[in-house]
Amino acid sequence: MNEKMDNIDIYNNSAQILNKKTPKKIVSWITILIILSNFFIIFSFVPFNVYKPCMGYVSISNNESYLVLNGGLSLSKKYKVYIKNKRYDYEIIDISADKIVLKVNLDDDIKIDKNIVKVNILKNRTTIFKIIINKIKKGFGL
């Protein structure tokens, strides 16, 4: 029953070919490839947030709270400002080379004059797939 594979004719000994087991190495490689491709698909198309962390301090004048951020930061109205994982609406008051002043209605526990806070600015939502495509385009100069 154990004939060499060279002597097997697929037309005369088809039962022996059908009963042959697939090697475990091939099954394990196929399993690993399926798992890796699933991870790639999931991580490529699931969006995540891109934050720009920065430090700032609270300034209070005339019962209004202002948030002063370090300069060198590009900020537009479409970005969202988060302090301690809470979103705050803001109004841009002043943009200069060394600082950015925002008018923000802060909570009472943060609203302390000269209070230093960590601010996360949500720039956009993207996927790993989009990041890879942009890197490839930049590499080709497009």
Side-chain angles (χ1 to χ4, degrees), residues 30-141:
I30 291 173
T31 306
I32 289 171
L33 287 175
I34 290 172
I35 290 171
L36 288 177
S37 63
N38 285 339
F39 276 131
F40 178 73
I41 290 170
I42 289 170
F43 288 126
S44 294
F45 299 107
V46 174
F48 63 92
N49 296 330
V50 177
Y51 289 102
K52 173 73 177 166
C54 62
M55 297 300 288
Y57 65 90
V58 177
S59 174
I60 298 177
S61 66
N62 299 332
N63 250 350
E64 293 183 355
S65 58
Y66 297 97
L67 187 60
V68 182
L69 303 175
N70 298 334
L73 182 69
S74 62
L75 188 67
S76 70
K77 192 61 181 165
K78 69 177 183 173
Y79 296 156
K80 296 174 178 65
V81 172
Y82 288 88
I83 302 172
K84 293 185 180 178
N85 296 328
K86 184 177 178 191
R87 181 178 169 208
Y88 289 96
D89 294 326
Y90 63 93
E91 179 183 337
I92 300 173
I93 301 297
D94 181 34
I95 297 177
S96 63
D98 59 337
K99 67 179 179 178
I100 299 173
V101 180
L102 306 175
K103 182 179 177 183
V104 182
N105 188 15
L106 296 171
D107 291 340
D108 290 337
D109 60 337
I110 301 172
K111 197 179 200 180
I112 301 170
D113 197 24
K114 303 294 183 194
N115 185 16
I116 297 175
V117 292
K118 181 179 178 187
V119 179
N120 289 319
I121 299 172
L122 176 64
K123 290 198 164 202
N124 61 358
R125 289 178 58 83
T126 188
T127 62
I128 292 176
F129 187 70
K130 287 181 185 177
I131 291 173
I132 291 171
I133 295 296
N134 288 337
K135 297 264 185 193
I136 291 171
K137 284 182 180 178
K138 284 182 184 177
F140 284 125

